Amino acid sequence: MPEAVFVRPDSLTDVQTHYCPGCTHGIIHRLVAEVIDELGIRDRTVGIAPVGCSVLAYNYFDCDFHEAAHGRAPAVATGIKRARPDLAVFAYQGDGDLASIGMAEIVHCANRGEKVTVVFVNNAIYGMTGGQMAPTTMPGQSATTCQMGRDVELAGYPIRVAELISTLRTPAFVARASSHSPLAAVNAKEMLRRAFKYQVEGRCFSMVEILSTCPTNWGLTPAESTKWLEKTMLPYYPLGVFKTPDGDDRAPLPRKP
Amino acid sequence: MAKKLMKGSEAIGEAAVQAGCHLFFGYPITPQNEIPEYLSSRLPQVGGTFVQAESEVASINMLYGAAGAGERVMTSSSSPGISLMAEGISYCAGAKLPVVIVNIMRAGPGLGGILPAQADYFQATKGLAHGDFRVLVLAPWSIQEAADLVQDAFDLADYYRNPVMVVGDGLIGQMMEPVEFYEDRKPIKELPPKTWASTGWKRDRPKAIINSLFLDPAELEQHNFDLKKKYDLMERDEVRFATYGSVDSADVVIIAYGTVARVCLSAIEALEEDGIKVAMVRPITLWPYPYEAVREVAAKAKDILVVELSTGQMIEDVRLALQRPRPIHFHCRLGGMLVSPEEVIAKVKAIKAGESEAMHYA
């Protein structure tokens, strides 16, 4: 029998996802699942799905799950973790969910130092509701609620969440990675692995922001989307580790993807 | 355990601990701050957890997480804070989560005031939030009853897998009275293990998904029918009320709940001395409402008086209970002003003398 060299992670279910062609949610799901598998924590992991494109994540991850109200995943994560500190708890959120309606919850969850992990997928747009402007939408980027492009005079500049969270004094692991290329994905997995490890060791709150493409709502092909992310998002949303718990060195910045 | 003089807020907090609730999430708001303050020092003594959340919105979602993970959990707030929690309570109801919410009601609308009121009756019993759901609503009239009902609330929440709300007014929060906790208290319901909770999935049971989303309309319709069955059971089995005075031959029957009913009881005792026969029905569950009890006592009384700290909210349930057009007299105080026994006595005497204008419901 030939050896299987590429299999579905144990922490993912064997179903077809509803994600659009070229969307990187599927890649990010897989990276999270591989990390859970490799740490051997699937049977004590509880995930939290947001409201947004990944609202049905509970169908794709093969572990216990909560579906949270819009933006409230970090509060739900707090409730689960405080109730059962032995669990590994992760919230999976998009940019409308986390950076707009849920900004209070993410800031205070991080500031309390809840021992949970937040996977923050930033694709610079509201995907599920049909392409409206997000707090992370790039200047000049068109969306259904800013059809001439984001006007920073009216809507301000995109929020850099990883940088914002890293200003908090409470120990945390905060990093930004991307999912637009194989090399970027490898680096994203390493960031996720560190984030989950910090939680499992009971050390600190951890959050990994992962840049993602949305060809459907960007109005681009998947290949064009990758190039657009590289050209437009990467300079504004630099990749790297922004914060580590006291005493831990930041890892070398990731190689240029 | 011997009787102990306790402030209402502290008794409510202690009752939660006695009921095995080791988790509290809340946000400061007057006039209920003594509940979180008490629990912030009490819970660590029993290995529990107190978290001061960043908002009421966050608090109720922390309850959603903790209850989903299978633990007993409570929050407390006051009227404006409950409005902020409303969305989350709907999610808890939709996801069938047992949570206990205490509302120490203050006067509104808006920021209103910080003094006692019963202005959240509609909110608690009719329109708490979006979607087709109900919560059990318990209304104590004394500190002892508050302590008892909070403990019952946890059993009822677990049994029905549904939010339970305990509503008191500012007096319930602030008064001091003797309270007794019973060491051998047994749950009032037979409670099955929470095999549905998200405790980490070892593939030895169905995967736990704590969720209120049903994109398939047929599935959601069935979910709504299932919830309705549960509400029907509550209406059948959980109605609580108490009656006082001349229930079989009253000149006037008073319908009142919470601390207002205590004021009315003082009035009833004084009126009886004057030879005026007064009865009272005191709903203890505001939902499900004791329609039958109100109907039966009202049928034997000449006149009906509703007393509330609102412009007339529970009176609508009294009207439903009567099942026929009949004048109802009404007395209220608002904005944090309280009803006095003298006012109730005067109102009953005015009714007897034909000098009280009744509200007519056709």
Side-chain angles (χ1 to χ4, degrees):
Chain A
M1 281 289 285
E3 186 194 353
V5 293
F6 188 80
V7 294
R8 178 182 305 102
D10 193 35
S11 299
L12 283 186
T13 56
D14 185 7
V15 295
Q16 193 174 349
T17 72
H18 69 287
Y19 297 120
C20 302
C23 167
T24 57
H25 268 306
I27 292 168
I28 299 167
H29 280 21
R30 183 181 174 94
L31 298 177
V32 171
E34 284 181 358
V35 166
I36 293 170
D37 281 9
E38 287 164 21
L39 292 173
I41 54 172
R42 191 209 58 79
D43 64 358
R44 60 185 180 98
T45 294
V46 175
I48 300 141
V51 170
C53 285
S54 44
V55 66
L56 298 175
Y58 53 80
N59 286 332
Y60 308 144
F61 285 99
D62 215 18
C63 59
D64 283 352
F65 240 80
H66 284 223
E67 160 49 38
H70 199 22
R72 314 303 171 213
V76 174
T78 301
I80 299 170
K81 188 74 179 191
R82 295 290 186 123
R84 296 189 182 273
D86 53 314
L87 294 175
V89 178
F90 76 98
Y92 189 105
Q93 300 181 263
D95 43 327
D97 193 80
L98 180 142
S100 189
I101 195 167
M103 189 55 106
E105 282 76 12
I106 185 63
V107 169
H108 288 277
C109 180
N111 196 51
R112 285 190 303 268
E114 300 293 343
K115 311 294 185 291
V116 300
T117 300
V118 176
V119 181
F120 168 41
V121 179
N122 176 2
N123 62 7
I125 204 147
Y126 280 79
M128 180 64 99
T129 45
Q132 294 81 12
M133 182 179 69
T136 46
T137 293
M138 296 304 294
Q141 180 189 343
S142 64
T144 58
T145 49
C146 59
Q147 297 181 14
M148 304 305 288
R150 179 179 186 141
D151 180 349
V152 295
E153 291 297 320
L154 297 172
Y157 283 85
I159 297 177
R160 293 182 175 111
V161 173
E163 286 87 336
L164 188 153
I165 297 298
S166 66
T167 62
L168 301 171
R169 172 68 188 85
T170 307
F173 175 75
V174 181
R176 183 184 289 119
S178 184
S179 58
H180 70 288
S181 71
L183 192 55
V186 169
N187 174 63
K189 183 177 169 186
E190 174 58 15
M191 294 299 132
L192 288 167
R193 192 189 62 76
R194 288 184 66 183
F196 273 87
K197 203 159 170 293
Y198 276 121
Q199 178 190 173
V200 170
E201 290 169 354
R203 291 191 61 187
C204 64
F205 169 87
S206 56
M207 184 188 86
V208 182
E209 176 175 342
I210 304 179
L211 304 181
S212 168
T213 55
C214 181
T216 299
N217 288 300
W218 290 358
L220 301 172
T221 66
E224 289 166 348
S225 297
T226 299
K227 288 200 186 76
W228 189 85
L229 185 152
E230 259 178 347
K231 189 168 130 279
T232 317
M233 291 177 74
L234 277 185
Y236 190 84
Y237 295 119
L239 308 188
V241 175
F242 293 88
K243 188 178 173 71
T244 54
D246 296 344
D248 273 28
D249 289 334
R250 286 187 195 178
L253 286 175
R255 287 164 292 177
K256 197 170 186 303
Chain B
M1 219 178 281
K3 281 197 179 181
K4 198 178 157 189
L5 189 65
M6 288 185 96
K7 197 170 184 174
S9 291
E10 293 178 355
I12 287 168
E14 184 59 29
V17 173
Q18 295 293 327
C21 168
H22 287 183
L23 289 154
F24 182 95
F25 304 92
Y27 185 79
I29 184 169
T30 308
Q32 59 80 52
N33 291 314
E34 293 83 352
I35 300 175
E37 283 165 1
Y38 178 83
L39 286 170
S40 69
S41 59
R42 180 73 173 105
L43 280 171
Q45 295 171 1
V46 293
T49 298
F50 167 88
V51 177
Q52 182 169 322
E54 59 270 32
S55 67
E56 289 90 347
V57 174
S59 304
I60 190 67
N61 285 284
M62 290 173 185
L63 263 72
Y64 182 93
E71 294 295 308
R72 286 193 160 182
V73 60
M74 183 172 92
T75 189
S76 64
S77 190
S78 181
S79 311
I82 298 294
S83 295
L84 283 170
M85 290 184 188
E87 180 203 37
I89 299 171
S90 171
Y91 279 69
C92 289
K96 299 195 283 186
L97 292 183
V99 296
V100 174
I101 302 137
V102 175
N103 181 8
I104 302 297
M105 295 184 283
R106 58 187 249 184
L111 214 42
I114 58 170
L115 295 173
Q118 295 179 325
D120 304 344
Y121 182 91
F122 282 157
Q123 183 191 46
T125 64
K126 313 282 181 195
L128 185 44
H130 67 281
D132 209 347
F133 77 98
R134 298 287 195 170
V135 302
L136 271 161
V137 185
L138 310 174
W141 79 336
S142 69
I143 307 306
Q144 179 67 59
E145 192 175 45
D148 293 342
L149 290 181
V150 165
Q151 292 175 84
D152 291 355
F154 284 98
D155 295 339
L156 292 167
D158 280 347
Y159 183 76
Y160 289 106
R161 288 185 60 188
N162 204 68
V164 176
M165 184 178 277
V166 179
V167 297
D169 52 51
L171 289 174
I172 288 291
Q174 302 296 324
M175 282 192 300
M176 289 188 85
E177 286 187 325
V179 182
E180 185 167 11
F181 290 99
Y182 305 100
E183 270 162 33
D184 55 349
R185 183 187 178 278
K186 301 271 185 301
I188 59 169
K189 296 279 183 186
E190 200 172 313
L191 302 173
K194 297 179 179 179
T195 52
W196 47 266
S198 66
T199 55
W201 187 39
K202 296 176 177 56
R203 298 199 162 115
D204 50 353
R205 55 160 169 79
K207 183 167 109 181
I209 301 176
I210 306 300
N211 182 27
S212 64
L213 177 70
F214 297 83
L215 290 173
D216 176 352
E219 225 182 292
L220 182 54
E221 183 183 47
Q222 190 53 50
H223 177 58
N224 274 276
F225 279 132
D226 292 345
L227 291 177
K228 174 72 168 86
K229 265 186 215 157
K230 195 165 77 171
Y231 305 142
D232 288 347
L233 278 182
M234 293 180 198
E235 286 190 291
R236 192 193 71 186
D237 296 339
E238 303 306 338
V239 174
R240 297 193 196 186
F241 61 92
T243 56
Y244 308 85
S246 315
V247 288
D248 291 321
S249 57
D251 295 317
V252 177
V253 58
I254 295 174
I255 324 287
Y257 70 95
T259 57
V260 175
R262 278 176 84 170
V263 174
C264 291
L265 189 63
S266 302
I268 291 170
E269 283 159 5
L271 286 162
E272 294 274 349
E273 282 173 24
D274 289 349
I276 301 171
K277 289 206 272 186
V278 185
M280 179 165 70
V281 181
R282 174 173 74 92
I284 296 171
T285 51
L286 303 185
W287 195 89
Y289 192 78
Y291 290 110
E292 268 178 55
V294 169
R295 179 163 60 247
E296 281 171 18
V297 178
K300 294 177 201 158
K302 291 194 190 84
D303 282 295
I304 305 161
L305 169 62
V306 173
V307 187
E308 286 185 78
L309 300 181
S310 80
T311 53
Q313 299 193 16
M314 186 188 65
I315 195 170
E316 294 196 2
D317 276 325
V318 173
R319 176 192 168 197
L320 283 173
L322 297 180
Q323 291 186 337
R324 66 187 174 92
R326 203 178 153 185
I328 304 174
H329 297 269
F330 183 66
H331 180 68
C332 70
R333 294 303 299 267
L334 308 167
M337 301 298 286
L338 299 176
V339 171
S340 70
E342 291 73 27
E343 285 173 21
V344 178
I345 291 166
K347 184 72 180 177
V348 170
K349 286 185 173 169
I351 293 169
K352 280 274 289 175
E355 289 160 6
S356 164
E357 194 181 329
M359 302 168 94
H360 287 267
Y361 287 109

